[in-house]
Amino acid sequence: MKINHLNSASINPYQRSAEKQQLPQAAQKQDKVEISSKAKELQQQNSIDAARQEKVAALKKQIESGTYQPDPKAVAESLLNHYKK
């Protein structure tokens, strides 16, 4: 039985990767990022969410201090509209 040496001492398996690293910067590809329109919409929604969080925080303060006075007619009307759907 004859066994051939696959990894002989004269061959460096990492030689190609070392050569690639030594290429000048201009020859290497530049990274490029493109933001889709859907991603831009999601970023705009984040600003809407921030405004909503501010509104919720203001309502929490009013509830904690006891100064929050909801309109009972508006609440009842919203409930009816919600359950009619």
Side-chain angles (χ1 to χ4, degrees):
M1 182 164 130
K2 185 176 181 182
I3 299 174
N4 293 331
H5 294 285
L6 297 176
N7 293 331
S8 66
S10 64
I11 298 174
N12 184 356
Y14 301 105
Q15 185 175 5
R16 286 187 182 169
S17 64
E19 289 172 357
K20 286 181 183 179
Q21 290 177 355
Q22 293 174 356
L23 289 175
Q25 292 293 338
Q28 292 181 353
K29 292 183 179 180
Q30 296 286 329
D31 290 338
K32 185 177 180 182
V33 176
E34 292 183 22
I35 299 175
S36 68
S37 60
K38 185 68 175 176
K40 290 178 183 177
E41 289 176 19
L42 290 173
Q43 287 177 340
Q44 289 175 350
Q45 286 179 353
N46 285 340
S47 63
I48 294 170
D49 290 341
R52 186 179 184 134
Q53 288 176 352
E54 290 175 9
K55 195 173 189 179
V56 168
L59 286 172
K60 280 184 179 181
K61 283 183 182 180
Q62 287 179 354
I63 291 169
E64 288 172 357
S65 67
T67 59
Y68 178 66
Q69 305 221 346
D71 182 16
K73 288 184 180 183
V75 172
E77 192 172 317
S78 294
L79 284 171
L80 286 174
N81 289 337
H82 176 74
Y83 286 109
K84 283 182 182 179
K85 291 182 181 179

